[in-house]
Amino acid sequence: MTTKKTLAQSTFELPYVTNFYKGKVRDVYTIKDDYLMMIVSDRLSAFDVVLPKAIPYKGQVLNRIAVKFLDATEDIVPNWKIASPDPMVTFGRRCEPFPVEMIIRGYLTGSSWRSYKNGSREICGVPIPDGMKEHQRFEQPIITPTTKAEQGEHDEDISKEEIIKQGLVSPEDYAKLEEYTYKLFERGTELAAEKGLILVDTKYEFGKIGDEIYLIDEIHTPDSSRYFYLEGYEERQRKGEAQKQLSKEFVREWLMEHGFQGKEGQKLPELPDEFVEEISQRYIELYEIITGEKFVADTSADVPARVEKNVVSFLENYFS
């Protein structure tokens, strides 16, 4: 597998760039101060650590899913996207981001279940009733926000009251963020059900330009969301069996089996080429199930060259 078959990182000389930020997965170029060029690399992170090998087609999968669902929800809330000049790239408006992430949960699972199992009956100020089981559906979805951490730090749970008290978001804006979050989750739930899936939980990020709120970043991708298969959900719950998930959880499970959970002193295991290929195939499968479309990969021999050429060409045309 040659490195040019994947995009592990972008070091492009793009016109009009005024800033650059490298996230765990995304490389974000600020263009003329008012726009962003977001390049979704083939990097894979788990337990807040970037794994040593890039995953073929992963960037295409994530970017295409995000583009599809941004387009499918723009009647609910305006979003940052203007165009997608390459399968791995989205270009859009630069917004001033709110310093919180809006996490919404339809089911008691993951970290919320772990807290509940340890005796907690409240998440981010939201009370949770006694007697619930793992993966059980809440009567109504609950919003459990987190602070948006600086690079290298962990997000922290926070209540709505604390967000407003600390002045992170105004009461008026927070009311809009809640409204948009519920509506987006409802739309995501409907779209998932059409594909035989349950949207279990997800996160949304928002920003502002002037007084207007925009949806930013990605939406409903397997990196930002958890899905269960709808078929057999009730039966598995009745029997107390694990739910069949559609997410990158299988990567975390493989790492845990090999003694890694991102804790201090743990050594990241070497990823065999066969497992890298399996991850790639699983991401393609995720795409096809979530979107209901066949994944047609761009199989360029030199992925970085293709991306840079498409992005430069787009920018020169857009600002000419």
Side-chain angles (χ1 to χ4, degrees), residues 202-214:
T202 192
K203 75 176 176 74
Y204 302 114
E205 296 184 45
F206 298 93
K208 274 184 117 173
I209 300 176
D211 293 328
E212 185 153 29
I213 293 174
Y214 287 79

Side-chain angles (χ1 to χ4, degrees), residues 113-160:
W113 166 251
R114 288 191 287 276
S115 299
Y116 187 87
K117 192 171 61 169
N118 290 333
S120 173
R121 292 297 178 267
E122 182 182 284
I123 312 172
C124 303
V126 181
I128 311 295
D130 278 326
M132 288 190 71
K133 296 178 180 176
E134 186 177 13
H135 309 316
Q136 185 176 335
R137 185 172 177 268
F138 293 118
E139 279 195 23
Q140 298 291 333
I142 62 170
I143 293 176
T144 59
T146 66
T147 57
K148 195 160 168 44
E150 295 296 316
Q151 191 173 8
E153 296 178 16
H154 290 281
D155 299 341
E156 300 287 344
D157 287 354
I158 190 169
S159 67
K160 166 185 176 177

Side-chain angles (χ1 to χ4, degrees), residues 44-47 51 114 134-135 226 228 242-261 269 275 278-279 282:
L44 176 64
S45 76
F47 299 117
L51 303 187
R114 288 191 287 276
E134 186 177 13
H135 309 316
R226 190 190 321 255
F228 290 158
Q243 286 298 333
K244 197 177 170 193
Q245 293 197 33
L246 192 71
S247 70
K248 67 173 182 181
E249 190 64 28
F250 73 97
V251 177
R252 296 189 195 98
E253 288 169 359
W254 185 91
L255 290 169
M256 285 190 285
E257 283 169 17
H258 290 76
F260 185 80
Q261 292 184 61
F275 186 56
E278 183 190 341
I279 298 172
R282 289 285 285 272

Side-chain angles (χ1 to χ4, degrees), residues 7-32:
L7 181 64
Q9 60 181 338
S10 68
T11 51
F12 302 150
E13 293 293 326
L14 303 181
Y16 313 116
V17 171
T18 51
N19 203 359
F20 174 77
Y21 168 78
K22 181 181 178 180
K24 285 197 284 287
V25 172
R26 289 164 180 76
D27 294 337
V28 184
Y29 296 80
T30 304
I31 307 294
K32 287 196 166 187

Side-chain angles (χ1 to χ4, degrees), residues 146-188:
T146 66
T147 57
K148 195 160 168 44
E150 295 296 316
Q151 191 173 8
E153 296 178 16
H154 290 281
D155 299 341
E156 300 287 344
D157 287 354
I158 190 169
S159 67
K160 166 185 176 177
E161 291 73 23
E162 198 59 31
I163 288 170
I164 291 168
K165 182 182 169 186
Q166 290 185 24
L168 299 176
V169 183
S170 72
E172 299 75 21
D173 281 346
Y174 194 84
K176 290 299 289 182
L177 297 189
E178 276 197 332
E179 179 191 338
Y180 287 145
T181 297
Y182 283 123
K183 285 182 176 177
L184 288 166
F185 191 69
E186 184 180 8
R187 177 69 55 80

Side-chain angles (χ1 to χ4, degrees), residues 193-251:
E194 290 171 8
K195 304 296 183 291
L197 298 172
I198 294 168
L199 179 57
V200 178
D201 50 44
T202 192
K203 75 176 176 74
Y204 302 114
E205 296 184 45
F206 298 93
K208 274 184 117 173
I209 300 176
D211 293 328
E212 185 153 29
I213 293 174
Y214 287 79
L215 177 63
I216 62 174
D217 202 41
E218 62 180 347
I219 170 176
H220 297 164
T221 74
D223 273 18
S224 66
S225 315
R226 190 190 321 255
Y227 291 91
F228 290 158
Y229 284 87
L230 186 55
E231 187 179 350
Y233 166 79
E234 295 290 354
E235 187 181 349
R236 284 188 285 273
Q237 278 301 99
R238 202 166 50 249
K239 291 179 177 176
E241 294 175 354
Q243 286 298 333
K244 197 177 170 193
Q245 293 197 33
L246 192 71
S247 70
K248 67 173 182 181
E249 190 64 28
F250 73 97
V251 177

